[in-house]
Amino acid sequence: AIVGIIVLFKAYQNFYMEPLEEEAKIEAYMAELYFQKDSFNLALNGDGQYAGFLDVASDYSSTKVGNLANYYAGICYLQTGEYQNAIDYLEEFSSNDIILSSLALGCMGDAYMELGDTDAALASYADAVSNSDNDFTAPRYMMKQAMIYTSNGDNNKALDLFRAIQSDYKNSPEANGIERYI
């Protein structure tokens, strides 16, 4: 029985999932090109001949490419000003890649900020920082948190974040000139 299950699993992976993954890559190719050219509406919806990220995310949801299409769709919606849609698609995205998953959380924070929900934005930025304590995303989203705290008049929390950027992320672009904020 165990051998049978293993054989079925391998057959499923090799004869169903791998071809589906390849088909998804082909479908997403033009959408990625449109995305690179900042043609966000074409990247989202396709051009009539080629699929967009919305179709890829829907039609290939069980694949890695379909999952990544959720990320791309969220970024496209963020760039086109459809912030709630951006949040919805970014929430559907999941990844073990610490940079990409942190960027998705941070972009959700940006969308919440555009919607005027600073509490949700702060939570998303905090999630992005705690998701990955790396020199690329963590100081970026710590700085955004600090700016929200400053605008809300909570200067002590902002100061703590500025000092943490200064001490923990010395080589980041955010640390360059941080003294003026402190």
Side-chain angles (χ1 to χ4, degrees):
I2 293 173
V3 171
I5 291 172
I6 292 171
V7 168
L8 284 174
F9 179 74
K10 287 291 187 183
Y12 172 78
Q13 289 289 30
N14 292 335
F15 298 114
Y16 180 72
M17 285 307 294
E18 282 183 23
L20 191 63
E21 195 74 46
E22 287 302 314
E23 186 179 322
K25 285 179 187 177
I26 292 167
E27 288 293 319
Y29 178 75
M30 284 305 294
E32 288 176 5
L33 289 179
Y34 286 133
F35 183 85
Q36 290 172 4
K37 295 178 182 179
D38 294 341
S39 298
F40 299 114
N41 285 321
L42 288 172
L44 268 173
N45 302 307
D47 60 7
Q49 183 176 2
Y50 298 103
F53 289 125
L54 297 178
D55 289 332
V56 173
S58 172
D59 296 345
Y60 301 96
S61 61
S62 63
T63 66
K64 293 176 186 175
V65 175
N67 180 45
L68 188 59
N70 285 315
Y71 173 79
Y72 277 119
I75 300 301
C76 289
Y77 277 130
L78 184 63
Q79 293 297 321
T80 58
E82 295 185 46
Y83 304 115
Q84 189 57 54
N85 284 334
I87 293 165
D88 294 342
Y89 275 90
L90 289 168
E91 284 177 340
E92 290 296 315
F93 172 72
S94 65
S95 176
N96 292 331
D97 183 300
I98 58 174
I99 302 293
L100 201 55
S101 58
S102 295
L103 286 172
L105 291 167
C107 287
M108 284 178 22
D110 293 343
Y112 282 121
M113 277 301 292
E114 293 294 336
L115 292 172
D117 190 347
T118 56
D119 292 336
L122 278 170
S124 291
Y125 293 145
D127 289 345
V129 171
S130 66
N131 183 60
S132 172
D133 188 22
N134 66 72
D135 289 343
F136 178 65
T137 59
R140 171 184 292 187
Y141 296 122
M142 289 171 73
M143 183 64 100
K144 289 185 178 203
Q145 285 178 289
M147 291 297 143
I148 293 171
Y149 285 132
T150 300
S151 69
N152 290 345
D154 197 347
N155 294 329
N156 290 331
K157 287 184 180 179
L159 184 60
D160 290 342
L161 287 166
F162 291 140
R163 287 187 175 144
I165 292 169
Q166 183 182 39
S167 65
D168 299 340
Y169 305 100
K170 294 178 179 114
N171 297 324
S172 70
E174 290 78 14
N176 188 17
I178 196 79
E179 295 82 18
R180 72 176 177 231
Y181 294 107
I182 293 175

